[in-house]
Amino acid sequence: MPEALPPVSAARPAPPAAAEPYRPVRFADLPGWQQDDQLGALRAFRRSCRSLRWRDGWADLCRRAAVLPEQPEAIRAFFEQEFTPWQLQQEDGQPEGELTGYYIPDVEGRRQPDEEFRYPLYARPDDLLIIDLTAVYPELKGYRLRGRLEGNRVLPYFARAEIETDQPPLRGSELFWLKDPVALFFLQIQGSGRILLPGGERVLIQNADQNGHPFRSIGKLLLDSGEMRRHQMSQQNLSRWARENPGRVRQLLNENPSYVFFRVVENSSDGPTGAQGVPLTARRSLAVDPRFVPLGAPVYLTSRWPKSGEPLQRLMIAQDAGGAIKGRVRADFFWGMGDQAGFYAARTKFPARLWLLWPQGRAPGR
């Protein structure tokens, strides 16, 4: 009897290769391109040129933009002649991602705590370390760890639950005191805000750093637990939930270990600045993942307008980033400051497509 052959193990199929992040297209492929009034985008781009002009390949573009006539035909021709649109796509090749919105809220505060204003808003702590591993691990370019020293060991920085205790480790780093813990939580999500002080003083504050822990949505936790439905999800309803469940607020907020620290913006006449370091422009500035969309670059966006559902098709400028804005086709739309901007920001959560406009003759990132 012939000797039995060993069983042939089934070969595992190789995982499919990830699609390239960018696919070159024509301006004619951009829905609504001809109808968009791009003056606001040009003015926002000129602001980005404050830092772009020092980067290779951008100086000439910025010089031309600075003297460009503010006429629709001239503006459109400038972008069409100087840039190539590259459609961003997911790893599986799908072009659709997600658009959310953010704004600058107004929040009542005090410089000293009292029985009503007792929730601290912290400055960046002095013991927060930033660890860049790029020199050792080039594949980690763009990632920076946050930590703290304890003896001769580097430990992860304090998570939210460790910061918001009855004996807070950051005591002495308070900038202001707020009366609503949910408003403070949303202020950290937005990354900027105006603190309204007695006597009419308004102080603009902005994200100074973050503790390095990942963001986790408390809204999703309430949805998963059945305590809220999707159509109820808003800051107002979360604040009401907090008033009705005071003993559970800290536990819920601590489910998100991420924590944001702030700084006072001394010269705030131009408004808040984004991650690029230039002032943001309402309805023309976009927060993106800089790993895929370099800051300062024009980005064409298609999605939907809140409330009306009409097509949102406009040229934006990538001027900001955020801890929750991760992925190739992911963006956060800056609505501006105040209650009306907050109304639209809270209702912005739609599918979206993005096209990166990159200088002619070059591939993105080069």
Side-chain angles (χ1 to χ4, degrees), residues 3-17:
E3 187 174 321
L5 295 174
V8 178
S9 59
R12 293 182 179 179

Side-chain angles (χ1 to χ4, degrees), residues 31-278:
W33 171 257
Q34 293 293 330
Q35 289 71 48
D36 179 30
D37 180 0
Q38 293 152 359
L39 175 58
L42 173 67
R43 290 174 175 171
F45 179 69
R46 286 169 172 165
R47 286 182 164 183
S48 281
C49 279
R50 297 178 191 178
S51 62
L52 279 179
R53 60 183 176 170
W54 306 111
R55 290 169 49 184
D56 290 344
W58 291 89
D60 286 344
L61 292 175
C62 286
R63 278 194 290 268
R64 291 172 201 153
V67 298
L68 193 68
E70 293 191 344
Q71 300 167 354
E73 297 80 6
I75 297 171
R76 187 170 295 111
F78 167 75
F79 286 109
E80 290 179 351
Q81 293 166 11
E82 303 295 346
F83 294 88
T84 298
W86 297 74
Q87 183 163 26
L88 284 128
Q89 50 190 8
Q90 308 282 20
E91 287 81 354
D92 61 1
Q94 294 300 311
E96 199 163 88
E98 183 180 60
L99 178 73
T100 51
Y102 72 114
Y103 75 113
I104 306 301
D106 289 334
V107 182
E108 282 190 86
R110 298 289 186 271
R111 294 189 185 276
Q112 299 296 328
D114 57 30
E115 290 186 3
E116 186 179 18
F117 290 81
R118 54 195 179 92
Y119 297 98
L121 183 149
Y122 289 110
R124 185 188 187 280
D126 293 336
D127 63 344
L128 178 64
L129 302 177
I130 300 178
I131 306 166
D132 189 343
L133 300 176
T134 304
V136 181
Y137 300 103
E139 65 275 16
L140 297 180
K141 182 179 180 181
Y143 285 95
R144 288 175 173 81
L145 302 178
R146 266 70 174 174
R148 59 186 175 89
L149 277 176
E150 187 174 283
N152 60 358
R153 294 192 306 155
V154 178
L155 301 178
Y157 203 75
F158 300 112
R160 178 180 296 273
E162 298 172 288
I163 292 172
E164 297 199 331
T165 64
D166 294 331
Q167 297 295 324
L170 304 186
R171 181 169 289 165
S173 297
E174 300 90 348
L175 283 175
F176 299 100
W177 299 82
L178 309 185
K179 64 179 178 180
D180 182 356
V182 175
L184 173 57
F185 185 87
F186 274 89
L187 192 60
Q188 293 183 325
I189 292 176
Q190 300 299 332
S192 300
R194 288 187 297 191
I195 304 300
L196 309 183
L197 297 171
E201 183 183 2
R202 295 186 176 192
V203 180
L204 183 64
I205 59 166
Q206 197 150 0
N207 182 332
D209 216 320
Q210 188 256 0
N211 66 345
H213 290 264
F215 175 85
R216 188 181 185 196
S217 170
I218 62 168
K220 186 176 185 303
L221 292 173
L222 290 175
L223 290 174
D224 291 344
S225 67
E227 296 198 49
M228 276 195 191
R229 297 189 177 181
R230 190 167 298 279
H231 71 276
Q232 299 173 309
M233 191 55 59
S234 68
Q235 180 177 341
Q236 291 74 22
N237 284 338
L238 277 170
S239 293
R240 183 169 62 246
W241 181 92
R243 290 193 297 272
E244 295 170 353
N245 299 272
R248 300 171 59 193
V249 174
R250 178 180 287 183
Q251 178 184 357
L252 174 67
L253 298 183
N254 285 347
E255 291 291 332
N256 173 30
S258 175
Y259 202 91
V260 172
F261 309 111
F262 291 91
R263 65 180 178 87
V264 172
V265 180
E266 300 294 347
N267 299 312
S268 58
S269 58
D270 285 340
T273 58
Q276 194 195 1
V278 301

